[in-house]
Amino acid sequence: MELTPVLRSEWLKIRTLRSLLGALLALFAATTAFSAIAGVSETSGPGFDPLFTSLSGVVPGQIAAVSFGAMAVSSEFQSGALRLSLAAVPRRGRWFAAKAAVIAVPALLVGLVTALAALLVARAALGPAADGLRTGEQVRGVVGCGVYLMLMALFAAGLAALLRSGVATLSLLIPFILVVSFVIGDATGTVADFLPDKAGQLVLRETYDGTLGPWSGLAVTALWAAAALLAGAWSLRRRDA
């Protein structure tokens, strides 16, 4: 079976599930709103990073991206939907690749639009404090932010396929992103540079210290996402639908 019809079928599922469209809308709304708040409340001082301040809404907003990836996969494990999908596409690897693709594309596109909107509203709120930002840094921040959100959605999608549960995936990832990552970062120093969220968020910073840079940090997040997708594909092949 060719990949194009599979992609079309999986894209139809994404479009018709309101919860998935709601997650993408929440990604845009939450990220933009929190970036605007950060811009209004931020004052220049030691360690002030105007690029990260402008895009800081991604930190809470990424929960919506993670939810989008997890729910897109976990919906297949409800009411026997996966058995129907695999009856139509017996080659499980091809089906899972199509599923990952239709998660990646909208997450990337919405992530890019969201990053641009967040940057614009936060810059307006920051005023002269953001005047030092160069065009190249802003482009890198917006593009990197879109890619980062896509990778986090794929990371969640892979874990959801492995755990076969959206609830279990979100119960693991949300506390990790909001709490555990910060605690580990404070306690372990440079080890935290290689956590999926900490590494990827380096691309959002104007200045950065440590082992990784913006693109190498994003590459680390990509490796986490690839590992999760491979684990999910392995689980899908080895376990009954």
Side-chain angles (χ1 to χ4, degrees):
M1 186 176 187
E2 294 183 359
L3 186 59
T4 301
V6 186
L7 287 169
R8 189 178 297 116
S9 173
E10 293 305 316
W11 172 238
L12 181 63
K13 295 177 187 177
I14 297 290
R15 283 195 309 150
T16 53
L17 282 175
R18 291 183 180 179
S19 59
L20 298 182
L21 297 179
L24 293 176
L25 179 61
L27 170 60
F28 178 85
T31 301
T32 305
F34 277 102
S35 288
I37 293 170
V40 170
S41 60
E42 184 64 46
T43 56
S44 298
F48 171 66
D49 188 323
L51 182 61
F52 185 74
T53 299
S54 299
L55 297 172
S56 60
V58 170
V59 177
Q62 67 183 318
I63 300 301
V66 165
S67 299
F68 172 71
M71 290 188 300
V73 173
S74 65
S75 62
E76 295 286 348
F77 296 99
Q78 300 171 5
S79 305
L82 182 60
R83 286 193 291 273
L84 294 176
S85 296
L86 295 180
V89 188
R91 296 182 63 176
R92 298 187 178 201
R94 176 167 294 183
W95 172 81
F96 192 57
K99 176 69 77 174
V102 299
I103 291 171
V105 172
L108 175 61
L109 294 178
V110 173
L112 291 171
V113 172
T114 297
L116 180 59
L119 180 66
L120 292 176
V121 299
R123 278 211 56 172
L126 284 170
D131 288 345
L133 280 175
R134 296 189 295 272
T135 300
E137 293 170 340
Q138 295 177 76
V139 171
R140 185 247 295 167
V142 169
V143 173
C145 182
V147 174
Y148 170 73
L149 290 170
M150 176 192 72
L151 291 174
M152 291 302 288
L154 289 174
F155 182 48
L159 286 181
L162 177 64
L163 301 176
R164 303 172 76 89
S165 169
V167 173
T169 301
L170 295 178
S171 297
L172 177 67
L173 284 183
I174 292 177
F176 177 82
I177 291 170
L178 296 181
V179 180
V180 177
S181 183
F182 290 98
V183 174
I184 292 176
D186 291 338
T188 59
T190 56
V191 174
D193 291 347
F194 295 90
L195 296 176
D197 57 331
K198 292 288 187 182
Q201 287 173 24
L202 286 173
V203 79
L204 310 180
R205 296 186 177 275
E206 181 184 19
T207 58
Y208 42 88
D209 297 316
T211 308
L212 301 172
W215 299 115
S216 57
L218 208 57
V220 169
T221 305
L223 289 175
W224 280 94
L229 289 171
L230 288 173
W234 173 85
S235 177
L236 188 66
R237 286 178 176 274
R238 301 285 293 182
R239 298 166 69 180
D240 293 336

